[in-house]
Amino acid sequence: MSGKKTTLGLRPCTWVYLFLMTFTFVTFLVGQMGLSGLTVSLLILLLALIKGELVGYYFMGLGRVKGLWHWPVFIWLFIPGILIGTAFYLAS
Amino acid sequence: MTASTQAIPAGTDPRRPPGDLAIWIFILAELGVFAVFFAAYAFTRMNHVELFNQYQQHLDRRAALINTLALITSSYFVVRAVAAIREDNPRHCVNWLLAAVSMGLVFVVVKLGEYHHHFVVEGVNLSTNTFYMFYISLTFFHFMHVIMGMVILSAVAVMAKKGKYSAREHTGVETGASYWHMVDLVWLILFPLVYVMR
Amino acid sequence: MTYKSQSVAKLYFIAAIALFVAQILFGLIMGLQYVMGDFLFPAIPFNVARMVHTNALIVWLLMAFMGAAYYLVPEEAETELFAPWLATLMFWIFLLAAGATVAGYLLLSYSDLADLTMNEMLPTMGREFLEQPTITKLGIVVVALAFLFNIGMTILKGRKTVVNLVLLLGLTGLAVFFLFSFYNPTNVVLDKFYWWWVVHLWVEGVWELILGAILAFVLIKVTGVDREVIEKWLYIIIAMTLITGIIGTGHHYYWIGTPEYWQWWGSIFSAMEPIPFFMMTVFAFNMVNKRRREHPNKAATLWALGTAVMAFLGAGVWGFLHTLSPVNYYTHGTQITAAHGHMAFYGAYVMISLTIISYAMPLLRGRNAANPAKSQTLEMWSFWLMTISIVFITLFLTGAGILQVYLQRVAENPQPFMAVQDQIGLFYWLREIAGLIFLVGLVLYIASFFVGQDEPEPAVAD
């Protein structure tokens, strides 16, 4: 959902969009600079999970849903996120 | 824009996600498969760290960046399409949907370029090594879903153009939109996991 | 029954049950041969008994599916069957071909049967479950085409419901994939690769569509729940079946000489194959809970719910136990496989066949809705006897399998095949006893068709 216009006359979803684009660039730059290591990887992963939750909450409209259906995307990000993080931790 | 942009159409259950419940069963199933694949990738990497780090450098990160930006943009366009139909504006809805499909097309073209480089120029295939097996499997399955999503959005656009949707009844638009967001969601994890994290 | 032509289903159902009995008798023979190797040798050697057991199973299930289609399609399409005479003719052709084939297995050496039936012209014999002579296979194709034509024309001239269309899709898929039994590559890897295009894409593919459609039909009838609700569930279930099962074929491609990526693709997709079965269980119980009527055929409702649960356990859970490639590496081709195979086939396809027969036979025999209480009680006894004995058969074979895997493959000093078979003999004896109880259940099942014939049926409460 987009909702009423807020700051600077932009809808909330537009703000989310700008955030997503910006932090995609950040992820890309991290890759280009060849940054590696557990901390960097986990931060990138966390960023990806946050981006995913924003898509679920705002773009998919799950933020406005009450009850069980509010959660699946969050759980999908949380559990695999933990698993991936663990695997990278164990690999380092 | 009036306050009605926020109004949920009459008869919608606030406990239900937008669109047909059936598509959400699919969405969960698809997310499930990809989650298992992602976890398999991460855990397999544990035993092949050098291999994964080495061949990750062979991937085209710029292409992946363009693709990520394209998918996020197309998702945003889909959000605007749903907002448009909620404001009873099928014409704008169609335009936003077509814009979203074009961004999907950008993804497809870039992806095909990537594949041409790997399959044709480099001569890589599923059996080359474990990293490439995962890279090809993950991106190819996702690619198939992008195509499917584009087909769905196009179908919805055609129906919208024919006037089948309105502010009161636009479940089809929300259904297609939800599927497309899922495609975007999967890529948002795939991109950092396969192309960046090392 | 609403349409006269539905009566052709009766022939198919009767033949199905008769062949079911033959299947079980030969199963018991083999069960004994596991522990008394010379039993009935050389008259009926193990490999011959096995061919009869497996082929009888497949033929009787096909008979049941055809009967189910001939019964439910006219009712769903709201029109008489296109050509009842064709259905009757095909029945006799199919039955005679099956009978001749089994006679061939029993009376001739397999090589003599191959020579007699001119297998060398188009060799298709010699593969598991597809041992039939080429001419029998051609006969099956003819019967299948006539059947599809008949059902297709009926649907074409009548109402096209979701149940009808899903059933037709499943049956067409069954016929199409059977054609791969004619493709017999010389390369052993390819031979096995394509063999699964018949077997896997049948039982973990198009047969699930048939199962779903029949289950949906019976639930619509006995619960009275809105058709749209049931149809929507059916769509989701078959979509999950195809999404997981098609690439899930890869779980048969781990060790036959195909590339390594199949271990990943097969494991990941087939791990999700239990999902449609889980959904079927939730679906069936949900529909019965939300029922709008108390249908007098309690036995059919019991079979329907039982099918969902046992299919989930046998196909879903037991399948999952050995579907991941690291596990399958050790369990491949052991009694674990047999344990899964028996409960899966019984839970899914035997039970759905018995479900539709339970629902339709009373109507085909002139009842209003159901058999009298006496018959239904006996039938429900048979349900519990057969189902519980299959569970025990499965548990015993699972025990045998675990011990076999350990002794033959995992232990520090692995032992040869026959040495291990000697040590798991107790499980085989227990399995045989459970099998005998299964036969008792089957006998009671047949008896339930004959008792209480003069009694009135239970009152219909609406």
Side-chain angles (χ1 to χ4, degrees):
Chain A
M1 87 302 244
S2 310
K4 279 201 307 238
K5 285 183 176 173
T6 55
T7 326
L8 298 181
L10 294 176
R11 305 164 189 246
C13 285
T14 311
W15 279 112
V16 170
Y17 170 61
L18 292 171
F19 179 93
L20 292 172
M21 297 287 268
T22 310
F23 282 95
T24 300
F25 260 113
V26 168
T27 308
F28 169 73
L29 287 173
V30 167
Q32 291 302 88
M33 296 195 298
L35 297 181
S36 61
L38 183 63
T39 320
V40 172
S41 295
L42 292 182
L43 281 172
I44 295 294
L45 178 65
L46 186 62
L47 193 53
L49 299 177
I50 293 173
K51 285 157 77 183
E53 180 56 18
L54 288 171
V55 168
Y57 193 95
Y58 285 98
F59 282 11
M60 286 174 132
L62 295 179
R64 270 202 287 175
V65 173
K66 303 187 194 326
L68 280 178
W69 279 104
H70 181 82
W71 295 105
V73 168
F74 176 79
I75 296 175
W76 180 78
L77 292 164
F78 187 75
I79 296 180
I82 298 274
L83 288 173
I84 295 170
T86 309
F88 271 77
Y89 168 73
L90 290 173
S92 66
Chain B
M1 303 303 129
T2 62
S4 69
T5 47
Q6 262 190 322
I8 302 172
T12 308
D13 184 348
R15 284 166 316 167
R16 284 284 173 85
D20 202 300
L21 198 56
I23 202 72
W24 280 94
I25 309 279
F26 284 131
I27 287 172
L28 291 187
E30 313 265 47
L31 288 181
V33 183
F34 278 104
V36 174
F37 240 122
F38 289 154
Y41 170 91
F43 280 100
T44 307
R45 180 181 171 277
M46 266 168 44
N47 295 325
H48 303 276
V49 179
E50 282 85 48
L51 180 84
F52 274 53
N53 282 347
Q54 179 191 350
Y55 283 96
Q56 190 182 56
Q57 304 288 59
H58 288 228
L59 300 181
D60 188 347
R61 225 171 293 120
R62 268 182 312 202
L65 170 71
I66 297 173
N67 277 349
T68 314
L69 298 178
L71 278 188
I72 294 175
T73 307
S74 75
S75 257
Y76 174 65
F77 287 167
V78 162
V79 170
R80 295 300 297 261
V82 172
I85 197 65
R86 285 198 183 138
E87 292 156 24
D88 232 350
N89 197 334
R91 210 168 50 84
H92 280 184
C93 177
V94 174
N95 292 340
W96 281 118
L97 285 174
L98 293 178
V101 172
S102 344
M103 286 291 108
L105 202 55
V106 167
F107 183 96
V108 167
V109 168
V110 170
K111 194 46 132 210
L112 287 175
E114 243 189 290
Y115 279 163
H116 178 267
H117 173 76
H118 288 301
F119 293 141
V120 178
V121 174
E122 277 188 341
V124 159
N125 60 44
L126 276 168
S127 302
T128 303
N129 64 45
T130 310
F131 175 78
Y132 273 124
M133 194 280 294
F134 272 103
Y135 164 74
I136 295 171
S137 300
L138 278 169
T139 58
F140 182 70
F141 281 134
H142 177 260
F143 182 60
M144 292 281 102
H145 287 78
V146 170
I147 308 259
M148 170 118 199
M150 283 168 63
V151 167
I152 291 176
L153 289 182
S154 306
V156 172
V158 165
M159 302 267 278
K161 188 128 189 181
K162 288 186 180 165
K164 302 271 190 208
Y165 302 120
S166 65
R168 248 180 14 94
E169 175 46 54
H170 56 268
T171 312
V173 182
E174 288 178 346
T175 303
S178 300
Y179 187 83
W180 186 254
H181 291 311
M182 181 267 295
V183 173
D184 182 23
L185 197 53
V186 169
W187 182 259
L188 282 179
I189 307 300
L190 203 160
F191 166 55
L193 181 64
V194 176
Y195 288 84
V196 181
M197 284 165 70
R198 54 193 289 109
Chain C
M1 74 193 164
T2 332
Y3 297 91
K4 261 184 352 113
S5 54
Q6 287 176 293
S7 59
V8 300
K10 207 162 33 155
L11 281 172
Y12 284 88
F13 288 154
I14 296 174
I17 300 304
L19 289 167
F20 184 19
V21 176
Q23 179 215 343
I24 299 308
L25 289 175
F26 278 85
L28 286 168
I29 290 175
M30 278 198 288
L32 199 50
Q33 289 173 329
Y34 259 85
V35 281
M36 288 168 55
D38 289 337
F39 181 61
L40 293 186
F41 188 84
I44 306 180
F46 180 86
N47 64 306
V48 170
R50 189 178 192 268
M51 293 197 309
V52 177
H53 178 68
T54 56
N55 284 220
L57 168 69
I58 294 171
V59 172
W60 90 251
L61 292 179
L62 289 178
M63 286 276 192
F65 291 166
M66 292 187 189
Y70 285 130
Y71 181 83
L72 75 88
V73 166
E75 194 156 314
E76 285 281 300
E78 292 170 13
T79 182
E80 293 279 359
L81 183 65
F82 181 75
W85 65 266
L86 183 61
T88 310
L89 176 65
M90 286 301 119
F91 168 76
W92 289 111
I93 292 180
F94 194 18
L95 190 64
L96 288 169
T101 305
V102 169
Y105 290 159
L106 287 168
L107 300 172
L108 301 173
S109 75
Y110 197 61
S111 56
D112 282 347
L113 183 61
D115 289 336
L116 181 70
T117 56
M118 298 185 288
N119 180 59
E120 71 277 4
M121 302 209 68
L122 176 62
T124 69
M125 290 172 81
R127 296 159 101 191
E128 203 185 1
F129 310 148
L130 302 176
E131 298 97 344
Q132 310 85 36
T134 302
I135 48 171
T136 306
K137 290 197 175 76
L138 288 168
I140 293 175
V141 172
V142 168
V143 169
L145 283 176
F147 165 69
L148 285 176
F149 172 72
N150 215 345
I151 296 293
M153 292 302 283
T154 310
I155 295 177
L156 207 61
K157 72 176 164 96
R159 197 176 160 207
K160 295 144 190 66
T161 63
V162 174
V163 168
N164 264 349
L165 295 176
V166 170
L167 183 65
L168 187 60
L169 184 62
L171 292 166
T172 309
L174 187 161
V176 164
F177 287 122
F178 183 67
L179 293 176
F180 281 94
S181 69
F182 289 94
Y183 180 47
N184 207 349
T186 323
N187 178 309
V188 169
V189 179
L190 291 177
D191 165 9
K192 293 177 173 307
F193 187 90
Y194 284 107
W195 185 83
W196 288 109
W197 285 42
V198 182
V199 180
H200 173 98
L201 291 175
W202 263 20
V203 301
E204 299 175 75
V206 293
W207 280 31
E208 284 186 45
L209 269 61
I210 298 171
L211 166 63
I214 297 177
L215 186 63
F217 174 78
V218 172
L219 288 175
I220 290 174
K221 296 293 167 186
V222 305
T223 66
V225 168
D226 232 0
R227 172 179 286 274
E228 272 100 47
V229 176
I230 291 185
E231 287 176 345
K232 185 171 256 185
W233 270 101
L234 183 57
Y235 268 140
I236 299 176
I237 286 169
I238 66 166
M240 289 309 303
T241 299
L242 296 172
I243 289 173
T244 57
I246 293 177
I247 300 186
T249 311
H251 68 177
H252 299 289
Y253 294 159
Y254 296 155
W255 324 117
I256 62 170
T258 47
E260 199 186 298
Y261 61 79
W262 280 113
Q263 292 184 41
W264 294 100
W265 288 25
S267 293
I268 291 175
F269 280 85
S270 70
M272 306 192 50
E273 281 188 43
I275 293 178
F277 285 110
F278 179 68
M279 294 176 83
M280 251 188 254
T281 312
V282 173
F283 159 58
F285 277 88
N286 231 289
M287 294 302 106
V288 171
N289 270 345
K290 294 189 157 96
R291 65 186 179 278
R292 304 221 187 138
R293 69 161 73 114
E294 289 301 324
H295 195 277
N297 198 336
K298 301 282 167 226
T301 313
L302 180 61
W303 280 111
L305 292 175
T307 304
V309 173
M310 290 302 292
F312 171 64
L313 283 180
V317 177
W318 252 257
F320 181 79
L321 292 180
H322 68 151
T323 204
L324 300 176
S325 69
V327 174
N328 194 274
Y329 182 74
Y330 292 100
T331 67
H332 195 85
T334 65
Q335 291 300 319
I336 300 286
T337 317
H340 159 67
H342 281 81
M343 191 144 91
F345 252 114
Y346 174 77
Y349 302 117
V350 168
M351 286 184 87
I352 194 60
S353 300
L354 297 179
T355 301
I356 186 68
I357 293 176
S358 179
Y359 172 75
M361 264 309 218
L363 299 163
L364 287 167
R365 297 167 91 201
R367 293 281 181 187
N368 266 333
N371 279 333
K374 199 170 171 182
S375 326
Q376 286 198 44
T377 306
L378 193 55
E379 192 182 343
M380 292 194 275
W381 265 101
S382 81
F383 165 93
W384 287 110
L385 277 173
M386 284 198 273
T387 302
I388 294 188
S389 51
I390 263 284
V391 169
F392 275 102
I393 289 174
T394 306
L395 289 173
F396 293 140
L397 289 180
T398 306
I402 292 175
L403 198 50
Q404 178 186 17
V405 168
Y406 178 72
L407 291 174
Q408 203 181 317
R409 293 181 178 169
V410 175
E412 268 228 358
N413 296 312
Q415 299 174 44
F417 177 81
M418 281 313 294
V420 173
Q421 290 297 304
D422 271 340
Q423 294 171 71
I424 58 181
L426 176 64
F427 287 109
Y428 292 144
W429 279 112
L430 292 170
R431 178 266 297 269
E432 185 72 349
I433 294 171
L436 284 166
I437 302 191
F438 186 94
L439 180 65
V440 170
L442 180 52
V443 168
L444 290 188
Y445 176 77
I446 295 170
S448 75
F449 288 105
F450 297 101
V451 307
Q453 288 202 72
D454 300 322
E455 311 223 346
E457 55 184 281
V460 180
D462 251 329

